[in-house]
């Protein structure tokens, strides 16, 4: 492992570690893991994770590969990954991604809004007024734009969708068009 650490990337080292566990029957896989942990988790550290998170991501990666070969961490006296910690990390990343997407959609919606013609803006304002009407809870909100080709119907729909998604409201926007 020491020699491979000089030339191989962390993912390749993890593959090698799993192969050693599966095919070479090491007498103390846990000690081998501990001795090479810094090399095995280097890519997770470089991605900005602290050492504890990186170690758990490494353990999870190894566990997944062992399971593909019908082996368990316990068979090699390896600690189980802390799934609570990994779950917190995944949720934090999803929330961060959602915030980034929402911010991008908001900016795109603002740019598109500035490009609407007077007629398109009137349609947009009517749709948004109905969407934002909290008293309308009994009727589904369906809107139809009609007009000749090239008048910007799709652009209005896309503007509405981007603005709503930028506000965190556009999870269930649907656009149906006819060609």
């Amino acid at each position: 492992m020491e020699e491979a650490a000089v030339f191989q990337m962390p993912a390749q080292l993890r593959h090698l570690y799993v192969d050693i566990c599966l095919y070479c029957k090491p007498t103390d896989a846990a000690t081998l893991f501990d001795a090479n942990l810094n090399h095995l988790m280097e890519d997770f550290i470089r991605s900005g994770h602290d050492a504890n998170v990186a170690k758990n991501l490494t353990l999870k990666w190894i566990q997944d590969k062992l399971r593909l070969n019908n082996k368990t961490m316990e068979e090699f006296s390896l600690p189980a990954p802390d799934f609570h910690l990994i779950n917190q990390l995944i949720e934090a990343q999803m929330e961060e991604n959602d915030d980034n997407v929402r911010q991008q959609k908001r900016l795109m919606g603002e740019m598109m809004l500035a490009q609407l013609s007077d007629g398109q803006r009137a349609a947009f304002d009517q749709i948004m007024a109905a969407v934002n009407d909290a008293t309308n809870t009994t009727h589904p909100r369906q809107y139809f734009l009609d007009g000749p080709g090239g008048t910007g119907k799709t652009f209005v729909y896309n503007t509405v969708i981007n603005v709503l998604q930028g506000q965190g409201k556009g999870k269930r926007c649907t656009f149906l068009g006819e060609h």
Side-chain angles (χ1 to χ4, degrees):
M1 290 281 303
E2 287 179 32
E3 191 174 312
V6 175
F7 300 104
Q8 302 299 318
M9 300 301 286
Q12 294 167 318
L13 292 174
R14 290 190 294 268
H15 272 289
L16 176 61
Y17 178 79
V18 170
D19 286 345
I20 289 170
C21 288
L22 292 172
Y23 305 114
C24 299
K25 312 257 190 268
T27 55
D28 193 355
T31 300
L32 183 62
F33 175 80
D34 290 336
N36 293 284
L37 179 59
N38 288 337
H39 300 297
L40 295 169
M41 67 179 187
E42 183 180 338
D43 54 341
F44 295 125
I45 295 285
R46 245 185 286 123
S47 296
H49 300 294
D50 68 39
N52 191 33
V53 171
K55 178 180 178 181
N56 278 284
L57 290 171
T58 301
L59 287 168
K60 171 73 170 96
W61 192 98
I62 291 169
Q63 181 183 52
D64 290 345
K65 298 304 178 205
L66 290 173
R67 281 185 178 168
L68 288 174
N69 291 281
N70 297 319
K71 298 292 183 183
T72 65
M73 299 290 274
E74 294 79 22
E75 291 177 60
F76 299 99
S77 301
L78 293 171
D82 181 353
F83 286 104
H84 181 70
L85 180 67
I86 292 171
N87 191 41
Q88 286 177 335
L89 172 70
I90 290 169
E91 286 177 3
Q93 286 176 338
M94 286 174 42
E95 187 174 304
E96 183 179 314
N97 287 343
D98 285 348
D99 289 344
N100 289 340
V101 168
R102 188 175 303 128
Q103 176 72 5
Q104 289 172 353
K105 294 290 187 175
R106 186 185 63 76
L107 292 172
M108 180 61 79
E110 288 174 3
M111 290 189 318
M112 293 174 81
L113 212 67
Q115 297 175 35
L116 292 177
S117 68
D118 291 339
Q120 291 171 324
R121 182 61 193 237
F124 172 86
D125 288 340
Q126 283 185 325
I127 292 169
M128 291 303 291
V131 167
N132 292 324
D133 182 4
T135 62
N136 180 12
T137 58
T138 57
H139 301 290
R141 297 179 176 122
Q142 298 175 352
Y143 309 96
F144 301 94
L145 291 180
D146 188 27
T151 57
K153 298 177 298 295
T154 301
F155 189 78
V156 172
Y157 282 130
N158 288 333
T159 303
V160 169
I161 289 169
N162 277 294
V163 168
L164 289 173
Q165 288 176 340
Q167 296 172 353
K169 297 179 183 177
K171 299 276 188 210
R172 295 187 335 186
C173 291
T174 303
F175 165 72
L176 299 173
E178 184 179 313
H179 296 279

